[in-house]
Amino acid sequence: MKYLITCLLAATTTATGFAQQHPMKLWYTSPASATAKDGTSPWKDDPAWLQALPLGNGNIGAMVFGDVNQERVQLNEKTLWNGSNDDNDNPEAAKYLPEIRKLLFEGKFKEATALTNKTQICKGAGSGHGNGSNVPFGTYQTLGDLRLDFGKSSAVSGYQRSLQLDDATVRVSYEQDGVRYTREYFVSAPANVLAVKLSADKKGAISFSATMDRPERFTTKASGHELVMTGALNNGKGGDGMKYMARLQARNKGGQVTYTGNQLTVKNADEVILYLAASTDYLPNYPTYKGRDFSGLTAKALQAATAQPYAQLKQAHVKDYQRLFNRVAIQLSDDTTDDIPTDVRLQRIKETGNDNHLTELYFQYGRYLLISSARKNTLPANLQGIWANKVLAPWNGDYHTNINVQMNYWPAEVANLGELHLSLTNFIQGIEKPATRSAAVQFGGSGWCINPIVNVWGFTSPGEEPSWGLTTGASGWICEHLWEHFAFTRDTAYLRKVYPTLREAARFYLGWLVKDPETGKLVSGPASSPENAFEAPDGSNGTISMGPSHDQEVIQELFTNVLQAATVLQQSEPFLDKLREAKDNLLQPRIGEDGRVMEWAKPYPEKEPGHRHMSHLYALYPGSAFNEAQTPQYVNAARKSLEYRLQHGGAQTGWSAAWVTNMWARLKNGPEALKAFNIILAHKSASNLFNLHPPFQIDGNFGATAGIAEMLLQSHENMVTLLPALPAEWKNGTVNGLCARGGFVVNMSWKDGRLATATLHATKNGGCQVRYRDQIVVLNTEAGKDYPLNALLQ
């Protein structure tokens, strides 16, 4: 039985302050090897690199090894790509669409697949089949390495290194030759520099040489009072492409600093601070993508950073970072002591099966990684966030839009980092021009569309193989994120800015959909269900069909969001009437005779029942069309589909396990959600907690962070649900600062598995219902006020 309680609560006006979080850190008692050589294969992670600790400010990334006698800080600059803008839209493709559709409707899959493979691909080399370093598509690359050689080999004691999540700083300390050495590393967003402070408890004890290098295309030399590394990358067409620069300066107390040849040398100093600035000439302006004054920007950054006291630089960094990080606090373990090194904890969970401290650490680490790789005025976080140590990243380190870049931003809103979502928003709007061209040239349509692979050069064409590279549903999926930021913030000025982009994505689908001659309903196609295959009725291997559930679900959601946006913004035009009519006539996903959601429009047998993608369950998560209130039959069918996938070996990759965590949470099954998450900890995590596909892909980190939040708080259709999927292992806990759709912030605690305290803070005027178990409180809220939810505690 549900109890509906209309509350006229005594609301209190408060300023939204920082949540109180007990200190969290990743810490270790041994360094990562700075002398281990990196391999060249993008498909194999380097063990030492996966032990290094990540820092970043959305522009500059750094992996700190923390080695003693020789130190390595591997560097990234998020715009650093080789390749260049290229014409990949195939003007011959569109004329074959009617014939392909006809063949598919007639069940002639072998012929349809052959014609699709021949015609519905990009022009040119595409992504180079994931090896884009020598074609115009390009690849995200390492900036190189800052290397410090201390010229020692004597024994070390008392070693410790840590990444402090509360101030985004790596610290290293050890004793050698009777001297206690300490190092401190951070990347400042306000100053846009990497700072490294080296100190000792004895005067004159610090001596080292510093160099900068990268695997190819670089020159490093001393220039005045700084060390400068410069170069130009391959444009994929036989010439020079993107230019870059990194500058290094030192400030010392005592001793001597010299810049000669290709190195910086420090002798007998008491303390040294290194400052590094980096930039490229990339600008996100289609079609040139050039023009940033990288030389001037790096010079000014170093000048400003070194002109202020180090303490002031650090204080500004910490203040800026904590403004974001401190919004959410979580405690799932009764014991807040942290006396077990992180890598040891990670090994132990393979035996213990659960570690609440490691869970809360992983959650906050995910928030940390998003802050570090996705500031709002930068490119969005890519497949590796901002951290990549090779000249060819896995899958080119691009923006995979059939789930991966979207998963990067799943925690952005609920984990109270909504403005970081704008890095993706800006990118989507930035690719609208080339995507409009792709819609017209490649598909003969209006509006704009993208497919599964997108780079920084405006590549929006299909890939070179339709089985994975033809997924026009990608546009609708990525547009979900434009809507989600509004759903959480209710910011109508923002909605007004993104509405044209949403509308034009819907315009493409309005022209793309065709009538299924059997059902009379509108279907998408030719289209894949991302990367999956089926046994076609004619016996062939099928990947392309008409009306796969994924596309139908994504398009329905986009149409719904555009119509809702038009209502909010009081838009009225004939196009909206056509959109409403098309939405009402979309083919709905079907439920098969076995009770599962069918992945394709017809019951084709799956070639891989345990496939890593679960695209036909999009409407369960991250979508919400499958829900208990309106579509309970689909919720039950989705549950059966998920169980079937897992029984056949599904969720074998890190990001897929993260998706499963979220889906079990959405199904309000806390035990299974926690089980899926713990699989990530036990089997898909490096010692630095990077999530492993393998190789390393950061979407699993972000997806799992969102999954933990989803277990604690859900919000849809004006309903905020507290502790919907709380597992027994989280018996007592507190979480403050999670966000709900509608413009709400929630603080709550629980004891012995039951809600103990709860408060809802409204950032906008409006109303909502808050649910805990069988009780519902109805609220009419005013912006800036807190609403204690005591009625739910009965």
Side-chain angles (χ1 to χ4, degrees), residues 52-119:
L53 296 174
L55 294 169
N57 68 351
N59 288 307
I60 297 171
M63 294 290 285
V64 180
F65 285 65
D67 211 345
V68 175
N69 299 317
Q70 295 186 56
E71 171 64 304
R72 176 188 179 190
V73 181
Q74 186 266 314
L75 304 167
N76 287 101
E77 207 283 348
K78 195 164 57 175
T79 63
L80 189 70
W81 274 68
N82 72 341
S84 53
N85 178 251
D86 197 33
D87 177 9
N88 296 106
D89 293 320
N90 180 2
E92 296 297 308
K95 67 183 181 184
Y96 294 100
L97 287 172
E99 178 63 18
I100 293 170
R101 288 165 175 160
K102 180 175 181 291
L103 290 169
L104 289 171
F105 284 136
E106 292 174 351
K108 298 177 180 178
F109 285 88
K110 183 177 180 180
E111 294 87 345
T113 299
L115 187 58
T116 302
N117 289 344
K118 181 180 179 181
T119 66

Side-chain angles (χ1 to χ4, degrees), residues 413 480 482-491 494-495 715 740-744:
E413 299 295 340
E480 180 212 19
L482 299 180
W483 173 259
E484 281 290 87
H485 185 66
F486 171 74
F488 275 87
T489 64
R490 308 305 295 179
D491 182 346
Y494 160 84
L495 185 62
S715 56
R741 292 170 180 84
F744 304 110

Side-chain angles (χ1 to χ4, degrees), residues 57-289:
N57 68 351
N59 288 307
I60 297 171
M63 294 290 285
V64 180
F65 285 65
D67 211 345
V68 175
N69 299 317
Q70 295 186 56
E71 171 64 304
R72 176 188 179 190
V73 181
Q74 186 266 314
L75 304 167
N76 287 101
E77 207 283 348
K78 195 164 57 175
T79 63
L80 189 70
W81 274 68
N82 72 341
S84 53
N85 178 251
D86 197 33
D87 177 9
N88 296 106
D89 293 320
N90 180 2
E92 296 297 308
K95 67 183 181 184
Y96 294 100
L97 287 172
E99 178 63 18
I100 293 170
R101 288 165 175 160
K102 180 175 181 291
L103 290 169
L104 289 171
F105 284 136
E106 292 174 351
K108 298 177 180 178
F109 285 88
K110 183 177 180 180
E111 294 87 345
T113 299
L115 187 58
T116 302
N117 289 344
K118 181 180 179 181
T119 66
Q120 300 306 302
I121 55 175
C122 60
K123 185 174 67 177
S127 69
H129 294 274
N131 184 3
S133 55
N134 293 312
V135 298
F137 188 90
T139 177
Y140 184 58
Q141 294 195 349
T142 177
L143 174 63
D145 293 282
L146 167 63
R147 302 182 189 272
L148 309 181
D149 188 342
F150 294 90
K152 291 188 174 186
S153 58
S154 48
V156 171
S157 62
Y159 180 92
Q160 189 172 125
R161 65 187 172 106
S162 65
L163 168 58
Q164 301 281 159
L165 298 185
D166 57 345
D167 63 3
T169 302
V170 169
R171 293 177 174 86
V172 174
S173 63
Y174 57 90
E175 189 169 317
Q176 187 177 35
D177 299 328
V179 179
R180 190 71 188 172
Y181 292 95
T182 58
R183 304 179 199 159
E184 192 171 71
Y185 313 69
F186 63 86
V187 183
S188 166
N192 201 27
V193 297
L194 163 70
V196 182
K197 180 182 178 182
L198 303 100
S199 54
D201 64 0
K202 291 186 179 179
K203 290 184 177 294
I206 301 175
S207 297
F208 64 90
S209 62
T211 58
M212 290 187 292
D213 64 78
R214 67 188 309 272
E216 62 180 27
R217 292 177 169 263
F218 77 99
T219 299
T220 302
K221 61 181 181 180
S223 177
H225 295 292
E226 64 182 12
L227 200 62
V228 182
M229 180 171 68
T230 59
L233 304 187
N234 169 25
N235 69 356
K237 302 174 183 177
D240 287 343
M242 186 181 293
K243 297 178 181 179
Y244 68 88
M245 176 176 287
R247 298 177 186 263
L248 179 71
Q249 291 186 18
R251 294 292 183 270
N252 59 303
K253 291 183 180 178
Q256 184 180 13
V257 175
T258 58
Y259 302 84
T260 56
N262 66 346
Q263 70 180 27
L264 177 163
T265 304
V266 175
K267 291 185 177 179
N268 305 321
D270 305 333
E271 177 185 285
V272 178
I273 302 169
L274 299 175
Y275 301 87
L276 184 144
S279 183
T280 75
D281 65 350
Y282 177 83
L283 277 178
N285 295 330
Y286 171 79
T288 57
Y289 295 105

Side-chain angles (χ1 to χ4, degrees), residues 399-462:
Y399 298 103
H400 263 50
T401 54
N402 60 7
I403 188 173
N404 309 99
V405 71
Q406 292 94 326
M407 186 181 283
N408 283 0
Y409 288 85
W410 283 359
E413 299 295 340
V414 68
N416 214 329
L417 298 172
E419 62 264 57
L420 303 186
H421 222 156
L422 300 179
S423 59
L424 183 60
T425 297
N426 294 339
F427 183 73
I428 295 168
Q429 294 197 293
I431 62 174
E432 188 174 348
K433 284 185 178 180
T436 299
R437 186 182 188 278
S438 291
V441 177
Q442 182 84 32
F443 298 110
S446 55
W448 66 270
C449 77
I450 60 173
N451 279 270
I453 52 172
V454 179
N455 65 8
V456 302
W457 305 115
F459 184 100
T460 53
S461 310

Side-chain angles (χ1 to χ4, degrees), residues 423-568:
S423 59
L424 183 60
T425 297
N426 294 339
F427 183 73
I428 295 168
Q429 294 197 293
I431 62 174
E432 188 174 348
K433 284 185 178 180
T436 299
R437 186 182 188 278
S438 291
V441 177
Q442 182 84 32
F443 298 110
S446 55
W448 66 270
C449 77
I450 60 173
N451 279 270
I453 52 172
V454 179
N455 65 8
V456 302
W457 305 115
F459 184 100
T460 53
S461 310
E464 49 273 31
E465 292 183 14
S467 62
W468 57 263
L470 183 66
T471 307
T472 52
S475 311
W477 189 333
I478 208 166
C479 279
E480 180 212 19
H481 289 263
L482 299 180
W483 173 259
E484 281 290 87
H485 185 66
F486 171 74
F488 275 87
T489 64
R490 308 305 295 179
D491 182 346
T492 53
Y494 160 84
L495 185 62
R496 192 169 289 109
K497 177 185 175 184
V498 301
Y499 174 73
T501 304
L502 285 167
R503 182 191 61 214
E504 293 309 302
R507 192 184 301 279
F508 170 79
Y509 288 123
L510 202 58
W512 171 256
L513 293 166
V514 295
K515 185 177 291 188
D516 179 352
E518 184 175 316
T519 64
K521 296 294 186 179
L522 295 176
V523 292
S524 170
S528 66
S529 186
E531 301 182 19
N532 208 350
F534 57 90
E535 183 179 324
D538 60 6
S540 64
N541 183 67
T543 58
I544 302 298
S545 70
M546 299 299 296
S549 294
H550 169 262
D551 272 32
Q552 301 300 119
E553 294 166 19
V554 166
I555 293 169
Q556 178 167 319
E557 180 183 70
L558 174 63
F559 286 5
T560 300
N561 291 344
V562 171
L563 291 169
Q564 285 184 293
T567 299
V568 172

